[in-house]
Amino acid sequence: MATASLYRRTLPSPPAIDFASSEGKQLFLEAVESGTMEGFFKLISYFQTQSEPAYCGLASLAMVLNALAIDPGRKWKGPWRWFDESMLDCCEPLEKVKATGISFGKLVCLAYCSGAKVEAFRTSQSTVDDFRKYVISCSTSDGCHVISSYHRGTFKQTGAGHFSPIGGYHAGKDMALILDVARFKYPPHWVPLTLLWEAMNTIDGDSGLPRGFMLISRLDRAPALLYTLSCKHESWTSITKYFVDDVPWLLKSEDVKDIKNVLSVILSSLPTHCREFINWVVEVRRREEDDDQNLSQEEKGRLAIKEEVLKQMQEISLHKHVQDFLSSEKSCRKTIFMRTENEDYLPGIAADVCCQGAGLLSGISCSSQFSCCQETGVKYFNVNGVKPVTMVSGTVVNGSGQQGVDVLVPSSQSELSCCGSGPTSDVGVYQASNDVLSLLTALLLALPPETWSGIKEEKLLQEVRSLVSTENLPTLLQVEVLHLRGQLQLLKRCVDDKVEEDLGAPLF
């Protein structure tokens, strides 16, 4: 039996006014004249249709992130870095979003994790006058955009909960322009702002909470450069709970006497799969034939910034304490961040990221289509004959051919490696042990400040607080740590099912 198909819907008017109708055009011209369509031009330049029926939230966010010129820091397809729905899988698996959509709170989380500044309000936390004020503010600027969560039924449209950006405002008629991302269903349309408020002031059946709106703008600072926390692995809930709940309890219950004791309590009990919890912000690129050592100026610039953050991480006192702790053979065996001594770490990473890279470059997720990942390896070469660069690489094979992918790795300074193996002879070449040290240091710095309050020895407590304080960190490293801390707090709210309620709570 053939499945019935649909070609668009007739827009119920009233209450909506088709943007392309004579009346809609006139409203647009009047709003442009009054200056309340400034945000429209950026949004319309990056307007997109949701690629799945339940992807309205992801499409709205991708559209706004691209309009704000927020760099995702990783490639989409070919050489292009670009936000696409397929890349917005941090706070909810795409398979789940495809089946049931995404909640208001999870979309807020996703916007933050994607590097945006977010202010979110449910209708129970705001008023229609507040909403109007925010719409006008964003409509008169191209540096802020509003995404509305509303019920279509209020506009006599088919469907239920929906997300779409607001493209502008007509002051005389008190109407908002909805840039509906379901363009296969309804075109952009003007609606009375008070009616839009009523559509938002409805209860979301899944969360039991009112819908609302969020203001998205650029951060004054860049998002994470080196590391990011991942909730893709199924163990992320237990790992998050360990760092936010269990570590403070362990420090309070143990009679720790010095920094080594503190590190032992935390690092010797790390949950399984901790390595998958904190990941590199890697740059995957398609390998060009016979030209894999040709880095663009842009790639060199980003690599240099990452290396500076890594250098700053390695220069702080906490990093030295972590190194001293891991330098004992006993500690190395107990710390699950470490691999076995004979395991070649970077090729393992190449195998891990190769398939993901192929998916980013081809737009297809890793599956049985790919034989992941053949011919993985590590290369070292000089840029301009001076600075050594480390690259992990691999080859993905599918039914139609093969594709080489490379991952640029920030080079580490020469240091003593774990288990007392002595300094490396390759100055500037990446060392696996240094990655472990920096990963662990970053995690410790990202823990909430109240983590350490259970330490009984006052002198030790002050020493620890001094070591983990972000106030005196270099700017680049401070940004990195605070972003990780914000991610950790958001993930904890997800674990506690509080992300839907605590939208306005500070992250750090």
Side-chain angles (χ1 to χ4, degrees), residues 4-25:
S5 63
L6 296 170
Y7 179 69
R8 304 173 62 177
R9 293 281 192 186
T10 300
L11 180 70
S13 180
I17 299 173
D18 190 330
F19 178 68
S21 67
S22 297
E23 188 176 359
K25 293 176 183 177

Side-chain angles (χ1 to χ4, degrees), residues 251 254-265 455-461 463-464:
L251 291 174
E254 297 280 347
D255 188 21
V256 290
K257 298 297 185 182
D258 54 29
I259 297 298
K260 187 175 181 179
N261 286 159
V262 171
L263 294 178
S264 179
V265 166
I455 296 176
K456 301 179 182 66
E457 295 277 352
E458 184 63 27
K459 184 178 179 181
L460 177 60
L461 176 60
E463 183 181 3
V464 171

Side-chain angles (χ1 to χ4, degrees), residues 406-456:
D406 297 320
V407 179
L408 297 176
V409 180
S411 297
S412 168
Q413 300 300 312
S414 177
E415 290 190 12
L416 289 173
S417 58
C418 185
C419 304
S421 59
T424 178
S425 59
D426 295 319
V427 177
V429 173
Y430 180 88
Q431 298 176 52
S433 61
N434 288 336
D435 176 67
V436 171
L437 292 173
S438 297
L439 279 170
L440 292 175
T441 304
L443 267 177
L444 292 170
L445 289 170
L447 296 180
E450 59 270 20
T451 298
W452 319 101
S453 59
I455 296 176
K456 301 179 182 66

Side-chain angles (χ1 to χ4, degrees), residues 114-424:
S114 299
K117 178 182 178 181
V118 191
E119 296 177 82
F121 306 89
R122 296 191 184 278
T123 53
S124 58
Q125 302 166 321
S126 186
T127 68
V128 65
D129 291 331
D130 292 332
F131 176 55
R132 181 182 293 106
K133 177 185 69 176
Y134 288 126
V135 169
I136 293 174
S137 176
C138 288
S139 296
T140 54
S141 165
D142 60 10
C144 170
H145 300 291
V146 180
I147 293 179
S148 173
S149 171
Y150 59 95
H151 196 288
R152 284 192 181 277
T154 307
F155 303 130
K156 302 178 183 178
Q157 299 172 3
T158 62
H162 190 57
F163 290 97
S164 278
I166 295 177
Y169 175 73
H170 190 292
K173 300 286 187 179
D174 193 29
M175 301 188 82
L177 175 63
I178 295 179
L179 296 179
D180 199 326
V181 291
R183 287 190 290 178
F184 52 83
K185 188 174 185 180
Y186 294 116
H189 46 275
W190 294 93
V191 295
L193 184 135
T194 52
L195 193 61
L196 176 56
W197 175 263
E198 290 180 22
M200 293 191 302
N201 195 25
T202 51
I203 300 299
D204 175 15
D206 292 330
S207 68
L209 297 168
R211 295 180 169 88
F213 61 98
M214 61 190 78
L215 315 176
I216 301 181
S217 56
R218 288 179 64 95
L219 287 168
D220 295 331
R221 52 182 174 79
L225 297 169
L226 273 181
Y227 304 119
T228 187
L229 301 184
S230 171
C231 55
K232 293 182 181 180
H233 195 280
E234 60 184 10
S235 299
W236 72 268
T237 53
S238 61
I239 298 172
T240 300
K241 182 178 180 299
Y242 173 77
F243 283 115
V244 181
D245 291 339
D246 297 348
V247 167
W249 181 84
L250 287 170
L251 291 174
K252 187 175 182 179
S253 60
E254 297 280 347
D255 188 21
V256 290
K257 298 297 185 182
D258 54 29
I259 297 298
K260 187 175 181 179
N261 286 159
V262 171
L263 294 178
S264 179
V265 166
I266 300 172
L267 303 183
S268 299
S269 304
L270 289 175
T272 306
H273 302 298
C274 243
R275 189 186 288 278
E276 287 84 358
F277 182 64
I278 179 168
N279 296 323
W280 291 353
V281 178
V282 298
E283 178 167 337
V284 181
R285 67 177 198 162
R286 189 188 304 273
R287 191 187 317 138
E288 303 297 339
E289 291 296 327
D290 303 321
D291 196 28
D292 59 353
Q293 296 186 12
N294 184 25
L295 300 187
S296 68
Q297 287 299 122
E298 192 177 23
E299 286 174 322
K300 294 175 187 176
R302 286 196 302 277
L303 200 58
I305 294 174
K306 289 185 178 185
E307 288 172 351
E308 178 60 26
V309 176
L310 189 58
K311 178 175 177 288
Q312 291 178 0
M313 182 84 73
Q314 294 169 353
E315 289 176 345
I316 65 174
S317 298
L318 181 61
H319 188 273
K320 179 62 167 60
H321 281 286
V322 174
Q323 178 179 296
D324 290 344
F325 172 75
L326 294 181
S327 65
S328 69
E329 184 178 351
K330 181 180 178 181
S331 294
C332 278
R333 287 200 305 267
K334 292 177 69 176
T335 303
I336 64 170
F337 256 82
M338 300 302 295
R339 307 269 182 156
T340 60
E341 291 183 25
N342 296 324
E343 184 173 354
D344 196 349
Y345 179 61
L346 283 177
I349 288 182
D352 290 341
V353 304
C354 182
C355 213
Q356 299 176 40
L360 289 175
L361 293 170
S362 67
I364 304 173
S365 299
C366 181
S367 66
S368 58
Q369 303 176 61
F370 293 111
S371 176
C372 306
C373 189
Q374 297 185 358
E375 300 179 12
T376 58
V378 184
K379 301 177 183 179
Y380 305 105
F381 59 89
N382 291 338
V383 176
N384 300 328
V386 178
K387 188 176 182 59
V389 168
T390 307
M391 179 185 292
V392 293
S393 62
T395 301
V396 176
V397 180
N398 60 22
S400 59
Q402 63 183 33
Q403 175 61 60
V405 294
D406 297 320
V407 179
L408 297 176
V409 180
S411 297
S412 168
Q413 300 300 312
S414 177
E415 290 190 12
L416 289 173
S417 58
C418 185
C419 304
S421 59
T424 178

